[in-house]
Amino acid sequence: MRIAVVGCGYVVDDYLRTLPEHPEITLVGVTDLDESRSRRVAARYGVRCFATTEELLADPSVELVVNLTHPQTHHEISRAALLAGKHVYSEKPLSLAAEDAQDLAALARERGLMLSGAPCNLLGASWAAVRRLVRDGAIGRTRVIYAELDDNPIYLMHPEEWRSESGTPWPFKNEYEVGCTLEHAAYHVAALAALFGPVREMTSFASCLVPDKSPVPLDPPTTPDFSVACLTFDNGVVARLTCSIVATYDHKVRLIGDEGEVVLDEVWHNRSPVSLERFGQMSLNARKLRAVRHNPLLGRLVGVGGRNVRYDVPAPVQASEPESQAPRGRGLSFTTRLKGALRRRQMTSLDFLLGISDMEQARREGRDPLITPEFLLHVSEVTLAISSGDSEPRTIVPPHSFTPLALDREEGTAWRPAEPGPLAAVTDRVLVALHRRGGGSGDSPSAHQPGAHGTEVGAGSR
Ligand SMILES: NC(=O)c1ccc[n+]([C@@H]2O[C@H](COP(=O)([O-])OP(=O)(O)OC[C@H]3O[C@@H](n4cnc5c(N)ncnc54)[C@H](O)[C@@H]3O)[C@@H](O)[C@H]2O)c1
């Protein structure tokens, strides 16, 4: 697929870093309103610098346009690209107005063009493993999901000084004005909707908790920097989703069922650790102990938090390995590359080209991309609704739905039940007795029940 990028800002390096891992994608050129940016990016990646978007769209060798402009211009640029006969991959959200997102989805269908977009983290291996665990019954019936996207009180972290690998400043003003919910909620919403279906109904609350966070005036001045939403998915599962740039870093998602809990540690990593705890009386009781909660090793001994699963479920699209996502390019020192590699191992690592790679495969196979326009429209509607919520909680029914995504194959394993360890039954009895307070460890009837869930502790460990 021959692609060209419109918008050479902070995120462009994240996209182009993994190009060498994707021989199916060829970068033809780039453009930006700010010519100094497009020149720098074109030189760094050795491609053509188009003077304008019009010039880029007029080039017949460009098959797909990657829209990396601000959310405010997503609709305008994507629309122009579709009208010029190009496939489009858009950064999130599809548009800042639900009707404009609908317009793009309809236009792409009408023209027989592919329209897909971010986020594509759901195409990676960790989410494939989570979906398999849930579908295989590893946590029983899913009852509730807690999804966090707290990205630190970033206003205390001098974001005005942050730079991308090619030296572009992080657009803190635009990020504050658009708001962290619109920037981040979709990573969870899309991944969960891919698993549980469309959001049937939602209630949300959003507020600006730190109005004086910016060194320059903002327009609007008080876009929410904190939001909470409760989403009811089509199958009845409820997720509580939090987004903020006020609370300390937490990008976890916890899926809690009536037999266990799955935790994906970092939603911005294609191979995030995923753990599975099969509930037992022991682990449920043990987490009441402060020492267990504060000491992961102790917790581990009694099954709290379960074990990381070594998943070998095939991801819908093969992501590049974190090591290969270290900064590349001419003139980069060894230290810079090492720092990048460490960051990707320890912090975040998304292959931003996964969605585009899938579009190329979809074209070859004559099918829709896995992330369909209708899915993106629905996710955009949900995130727009959360971020535009105010301090009065309100209930919304998203108007558009989508048919299930054709994501996963039934191969590979994500978990295997394991036999309980020899100490499990004894520890189980002690903890049950402690929990029930009265009598000694042998007094509790449930401690003697055959097949108490405690026998399951350690399941999934390998
Ligand atoms: N910054 C991040 O860490 C990050 C991460 C993931 C996704 N994103 C998403 O990527 C998109 C871009 O974010 P960014 O951080 O790179 O923003 P940015 O402000 O750094 O870059 C946007 C670029 O688009 C250019 N542009 C704007 N309108 C244009 C037009 N009409 N024609 C041509 N160029 C135009 C701007 O000049 C600017 O260089 C946003 O949708 C954002 O949500 C950002």
Side-chain angles (χ1 to χ4, degrees):
M1 181 76 79
R2 291 190 300 278
I3 69 168
V5 172
V6 183
C8 296
Y10 187 87
V11 86
V12 75
D13 288 329
D14 289 333
Y15 271 79
L16 301 185
R17 186 183 304 125
T18 57
L19 255 185
E21 307 288 313
H22 290 283
E24 72 284 8
I25 301 171
T26 305
L27 179 65
V28 174
V30 298
T31 192
D32 196 294
L33 282 181
D34 178 340
E35 214 176 307
S36 67
R37 289 185 172 197
S38 43
R39 284 228 170 104
R40 190 167 59 219
V41 171
R44 182 179 167 93
Y45 296 94
V47 296
R48 179 169 170 197
C49 178
F50 291 98
T52 60
T53 303
E54 291 69 32
E55 191 182 296
L56 180 151
L57 294 180
D59 184 332
S61 73
V62 175
E63 297 172 295
L64 181 146
V65 169
V66 186
N67 185 353
L68 303 185
T69 61
H70 312 122
Q72 289 88 340
T73 44
H74 282 178
H75 175 248
E76 170 198 329
I77 299 290
S78 296
R79 184 165 227 284
L82 289 170
L83 289 174
K86 314 291 185 192
H87 304 297
V88 170
Y89 185 86
S90 171
E91 249 304 332
K92 67 198 150 36
L94 261 189
S95 156
L96 282 180
E99 16 342 323
D100 288 343
Q102 194 183 348
D103 168 60
L104 292 177
L107 185 61
R109 289 283 180 213
E110 191 185 297
R111 303 248 157 172
L113 292 163
M114 289 188 288
L115 169 66
S116 194
C120 64
N121 59 323
L122 63 94
L123 299 179
S126 4
W127 272 104
V130 171
R131 289 193 294 271
R132 178 62 61 78
L133 286 164
V134 170
R135 286 177 184 151
D136 283 357
I139 59 168
R141 184 169 155 196
T142 309
R143 299 291 185 172
V144 73
I145 297 152
Y146 286 176
E148 322 293 354
L149 230 154
D150 285 314
D151 210 30
N152 258 343
I154 58 171
Y155 59 96
L156 301 178
M157 299 170 70
H158 311 289
E160 320 77 70
E161 295 166 14
W162 297 351
R163 296 287 178 276
S164 70
E165 282 153 25
S166 55
T168 308
W170 190 66
F172 70 93
K173 181 173 184 294
N174 193 259
E175 291 263 342
Y176 288 159
E177 287 170 349
V178 170
C180 60
T181 301
L182 221 50
E183 292 284 351
H184 299 159
Y187 289 97
H188 282 307
V189 172
L192 293 173
L195 178 53
F196 297 112
V199 174
R200 191 201 298 155
E201 190 181 275
M202 50 176 279
T203 302
S204 67
F205 167 99
S207 185
C208 179
L209 305 184
V210 189
D212 54 351
K213 61 174 102 39
S214 170
V216 298
L218 301 176
D219 177 23
T222 54
T223 304
D225 48 26
F226 169 79
S227 67
V228 187
C230 285
L231 314 173
T232 306
F233 290 91
D234 211 29
N235 71 345
V237 169
V238 171
R240 194 268 289 124
L241 163 66
T242 313
C243 284
S244 90
I245 45 169
V246 182
T248 47
Y249 196 93
D250 188 355
H251 288 187
K252 252 193 225 89
V253 58
R254 298 163 56 197
L255 298 95
I256 298 130
D258 45 20
E259 291 181 29
E261 177 175 18
V262 164
V263 180
L264 188 152
D265 178 67
E266 171 58 88
V267 76
W268 288 355
H269 204 300
N270 287 132
R271 289 205 66 88
S272 163
V274 172
S275 65
L276 168 65
E277 173 181 336
R278 293 272 297 165
F279 291 152
Q281 294 301 309
M282 180 161 72
S283 66
L284 293 175
N285 278 317
R287 59 180 16 101
K288 294 189 170 189
L289 305 180
R290 192 182 308 134
V292 169
R293 287 199 305 274
H294 290 262
N295 184 333
L297 195 63
L298 206 53
R300 213 180 144 131
L301 280 175
V302 287
V304 171
R307 294 281 195 275
N308 284 351
V309 285
R310 271 194 238 127
Y311 41 88
D312 61 4
V313 174
V317 185
Q318 203 54 47
S320 62
E321 287 301 316
E323 291 88 343
S324 67
Q325 296 176 26
R328 292 159 194 267
R330 292 172 219 150
L332 287 180
S333 69
F334 172 74
T335 328
T336 307
R337 288 202 299 268
L338 181 68
K339 270 198 292 196
L342 274 176
R343 197 167 69 80
R344 268 157 211 102
R345 261 341 257 176
Q346 285 295 313
M347 296 163 76
T348 60
S349 173
L350 287 177
D351 182 344
F352 282 77
L353 292 179
L354 284 191
I356 299 169
S357 173
D358 171 60
M359 289 172 87
E360 161 58 16
Q361 206 171 320
R363 185 173 62 168
R364 270 191 277 123
E365 293 171 3
R367 59 164 170 86
D368 263 352
L370 294 174
I371 297 177
T372 61
E374 292 73 22
F375 179 78
L376 284 180
L377 169 58
H378 180 79
V379 171
S380 293
E381 280 173 347
V382 172
T383 50
L384 283 164
I386 304 173
S387 69
S388 63
D390 52 31
S391 47
E392 283 299 306
R394 51 201 193 108
T395 299
I396 295 155
V397 178
H400 293 93
S401 188
F402 59 91
T403 49
L405 306 190
L407 284 178
D408 300 309
R409 286 171 291 158
E410 294 298 314
E411 295 164 27
T413 49
W415 75 295
R416 194 179 299 142
E419 290 303 316
L423 287 178
V426 178
T427 321
D428 190 357
R429 283 165 58 167
V430 172
L431 287 165
V432 168
L434 258 182
H435 166 60
R436 303 214 168 166
R437 288 182 198 179
S441 64
D443 295 346
S444 163
S446 79
H448 297 289
Q449 276 172 12
H453 272 109
T455 56
E456 299 236 38
V457 169
S461 59
R462 294 205 269 157

